Amino acid sequence: MALSIYNSLAREKQIFEPVRPGRVHMYVCGPTVYNDAHLGHGKTYVNFDIIVRYLRYLGFQVLYVQNITDVGHILDSGEDRILKGAQREQMQPMQLVEHYTRRYFADMDRLNVLRPDISPRATGHIPEMLEWIQRLIDGGHAYVADGSVYFDVSSWESYGKLSGRRLEEAQTGTRVQLADDKRAPEDFALWRKAEPEHIMRWNSPWGVGYPGWHIECTVMSTKYLGQPFDIHGGGVENKFPHHESEIAQAEAAHGEGYARYWVHNGMLMIRGEEMHKSLGNFISLEAAFERWDPMAIRFFILQSHYRGPLDLTEESLDAAARGLERLYGTVRAVRRQLESAPAGEASPETLQMLDTARNAFEASMDDDFGTPGAIAALFDLSRATNVQLGTGLTQGDLMAIDGAFKRLAGDVLGVLPDELGESDAPELSRGLIELLIETRRNLRAARAFDLADQVRDGLGALGVQLQDGPEGTSWTIG
RNA sequence: GGCGACGUAGCCAAGUGGAUAAGGCAGGGGUCUGCAAAACCCCCAUCAUCGGUUCGAACCCGAUCGUCGCCUCCA
């Protein structure tokens, strides 16, 4: 079955066909690094991480570019987030940017988000932006006004094709409240004249200034991925005006065909509302990690479809964490049993079971990266495996099952660490736990259940859970 | 006001025209166990409301109610 992707530009799912056979060039709008990353960033970059991972699983050679926005952007209010952040933290702008860039990557690492192949910074591409803007001016799609340069939206007929938004002619004749040199309110800035107090500034043919918000993505994606490239991703809230403007300025300079597939992911909600500092429901990833395992957060994100909104509550995250633990339980049991299993090849039944799971997993992923269905396939495999576990599986069987989990839950979904639980514990702890388990076994044999339970409860209070099975007692740290 | 998305069990969340509406969490009943946990088995929804289209709709169309997003920076 072929991979299909929902293309925002076409408003429908389409069979994915890369520009270059076997290769995928993909760009995703990155963060503005002026503050700590929050759960919303987590959702977005986990969503796109899955796309990259699955494309690689399918055998594509993926080149993944995600920018770092380190230029303060023009706000009509005159504020600039990076400058504000720098003032707040008593840092130079570039120092602030460096600080938060590092923290961003550290957070993403914990969520097991693979790093992009290229993380270009806006400030490193000013010359390319100047060139691009000049090309737009030369082509009659941009104009200079008092040291600033604006894209002339009226010069580009297909403006609005992504967002389905038509320009409101009603405003054209009215007086623009904002002190602007724009000819039309919908025109957007490519280059902005710097006020004297603006620290981040560069020389340009039009005077000292700084780049507009949309131009960096167009310039950097094209520079590293060519034009056209395959996939351009970002949050839905960027569809307009950001992505719409990107398309216009890209195609006005280089002709139709900027990015083939536009992929937008849904927002993360906190108890039904968008996360906002002003709403008091802002949760940084760092804070979330104190309460939940990063893997559980990742798993929670993947249990809903990337395109939909995801409503987060404490209960729903707790529920996801318990579900993930169920999957881990199976993998642990498989690995434990491997230590004492008889040699032998994987049986046809086992291979059949894995085939079924893999087919269901791929069918769901092929349908616009349906991670919820893929996870359901893993739960089905988990149950089937648990049933088989008591039937004398061979080393071949167990290795095949473990391999499937590693591939699907580990490589593709990224929710299965290489090591689970027990082996993480320091050697001394492991020795002590084993010793206590042995003692408890003797107590039980002597039918001294009170003392045996005391040992179990005591370990439980320390976070060590015991499970009695037909082949002895196993333990996990949770 | 304009554009758009959504409303599926106690909760989270798939499914978007066809035979019993995925999966997880929680809950109930069992099996196993000294007990517990884990695991396994069984049970738990007619898809916001109303009206259409169709042999057939949660899935298509219309209306209504409700929630949310974008239209200004935002992942």
Side-chain angles (χ1 to χ4, degrees):
Chain A
M1 196 174 137
L3 172 67
S4 65
I5 300 179
Y6 183 88
N7 187 349
S8 300
L9 202 51
R11 290 164 229 278
E12 64 178 15
K13 284 183 199 168
Q14 300 177 324
I15 301 294
F16 178 67
E17 287 166 11
V19 176
R20 309 151 191 80
R23 300 179 65 93
V24 177
H25 286 196
M26 169 164 163
Y27 185 90
V28 171
C29 292
T32 303
V33 281
Y34 69 103
N35 212 336
D36 274 330
H38 55 245
L39 282 167
H41 291 103
K43 169 163 159 56
T44 292
Y45 299 116
V46 165
N47 285 155
F48 288 108
D49 183 51
I50 286 298
I51 291 179
V52 171
R53 285 170 180 262
Y54 190 61
L55 288 167
R56 287 187 176 143
Y57 171 85
L58 291 179
F60 288 107
Q61 200 177 331
V62 180
L63 180 58
Y64 178 29
V65 177
Q66 183 192 109
N67 64 299
I68 294 289
T69 295
D70 59 353
V71 182
H73 281 306
I74 328 142
L75 301 181
D76 286 332
S77 64
E79 288 182 323
D80 175 316
R81 300 160 88 116
I82 288 177
L83 288 182
K84 268 184 83 175
Q87 279 167 11
R88 181 186 70 225
E89 315 219 359
Q90 299 285 299
M91 287 183 184
Q92 289 189 29
M94 279 298 103
Q95 189 185 4
L96 179 94
V97 155
E98 192 63 42
H99 176 74
Y100 284 113
T101 300
R102 291 176 191 176
R103 291 174 67 86
Y104 166 72
F105 282 122
D107 285 341
M108 291 302 136
D109 288 347
R110 293 193 66 187
L111 282 175
N112 204 204
V113 171
L114 299 175
R115 296 206 178 183
D117 298 302
I118 305 175
S119 300
R121 289 191 183 190
T123 53
H125 298 77
I126 301 291
E128 290 91 335
M129 294 187 212
L130 296 179
E131 241 174 80
W132 199 291
I133 293 167
Q134 188 61 56
R135 197 175 310 141
L136 289 171
I137 294 173
D138 294 345
H141 296 292
Y143 56 91
V144 183
D146 188 31
S148 294
V149 185
Y150 297 97
F151 185 90
D152 179 2
V153 169
S154 70
S155 79
W156 197 248
E157 239 176 66
S158 65
Y159 191 83
K161 71 177 174 181
L162 206 217
S163 57
R165 204 171 295 245
R166 255 172 251 109
L167 301 173
E168 273 141 273
E169 66 292 344
Q171 288 193 351
T172 313
T174 50
R175 187 189 174 84
V176 188
Q177 329 88 314
L178 303 163
D180 246 350
D181 315 306
K182 291 191 218 174
R183 287 182 196 162
E186 61 271 19
D187 289 349
F188 57 89
L190 296 165
W191 186 260
R192 190 69 170 246
K193 176 184 179 179
E195 303 306 323
E197 67 275 15
H198 204 100
I199 309 172
M200 300 179 96
R201 52 206 291 141
W202 290 266
N203 289 321
S204 82
W206 319 288
V208 178
Y210 52 98
W213 176 35
H214 315 303
I215 192 72
E216 66 174 89
C217 286
T218 303
V219 165
M220 296 192 290
S221 59
T222 299
K223 172 162 180 170
Y224 298 108
L225 300 175
Q227 222 184 88
F229 60 92
D230 299 295
I231 298 175
H232 188 129
V236 269
E237 80 284 357
N238 279 330
K239 213 190 244 189
F240 185 91
H242 184 52
H243 295 326
E244 192 70 64
S245 302
E246 265 194 64
I247 292 174
Q249 70 199 180
E251 300 191 339
H254 283 281
E256 295 284 335
Y258 170 47
R260 302 267 297 265
Y261 299 84
W262 282 83
V263 178
H264 291 99
N265 72 312
M267 309 288 282
L268 180 103
M269 322 284 285
I270 304 286
R271 285 183 290 276
E273 287 178 310
E274 188 183 345
M275 184 162 55
H276 259 307
K277 275 199 160 160
S278 54
L279 291 174
N281 61 0
F282 184 94
I283 305 175
S284 72
L285 282 169
E286 193 181 35
F289 292 159
E290 285 176 17
R291 174 80 165 71
W292 292 282
D293 183 334
M295 281 298 106
I297 294 174
R298 182 178 172 102
F299 186 70
F300 171 71
I301 291 166
L302 296 179
Q303 273 191 299
S304 75
H305 190 90
Y306 76 86
R307 256 187 304 121
L310 171 59
D311 194 23
L312 181 144
T313 59
E314 293 204 358
E315 306 77 62
S316 58
L317 237 168
D318 286 343
R322 278 192 287 271
L324 181 59
E325 196 47 48
R326 178 180 170 77
L327 245 31
Y328 286 178
T330 298
V331 176
R332 266 196 212 101
V334 167
R335 291 179 185 174
R336 193 180 302 125
Q337 197 156 315
L338 192 52
E339 292 167 13
S340 57
E345 299 286 302
S347 70
E349 291 74 26
T350 296
L351 296 178
Q352 175 63 50
M353 172 179 84
L354 295 177
D355 242 31
T356 302
R358 199 176 299 112
N359 289 338
F361 183 96
E362 290 180 6
S364 188
M365 290 298 284
D366 277 343
D367 184 8
D368 197 27
F369 308 101
T371 52
I375 287 172
L378 290 180
F379 276 115
D380 288 341
L381 175 60
S382 174
R383 170 167 286 114
T385 299
N386 288 336
V387 170
Q388 292 303 307
L389 233 33
T391 64
L393 296 178
T394 64
Q395 287 179 13
D397 289 316
L398 293 164
M399 283 169 65
I401 294 168
D402 188 36
F405 273 107
K406 274 183 177 153
R407 194 87 206 286
L408 304 179
D411 296 343
V412 180
L413 297 184
V415 292
L416 183 68
D418 293 338
E419 299 293 339
L420 285 173
E422 307 169 25
S423 40
D424 289 346
E427 204 179 321
L428 177 62
S429 298
R430 297 176 64 176
L432 291 170
I433 291 167
E434 297 292 347
L435 182 63
L436 285 164
I437 287 175
E438 178 62 16
T439 303
R440 174 167 170 272
R441 196 177 69 79
N442 294 331
L443 289 169
R444 292 175 70 205
R447 305 197 66 79
F449 295 121
D450 283 357
L451 290 172
D453 289 350
Q454 209 177 313
V455 172
R456 183 177 63 201
D457 295 345
L459 282 171
L462 293 170
V464 180
Q465 270 76 48
L466 302 189
Q467 283 107 35
D468 296 326
E471 292 162 40
T473 299
S474 59
W475 57 277
T476 55
I477 295 179

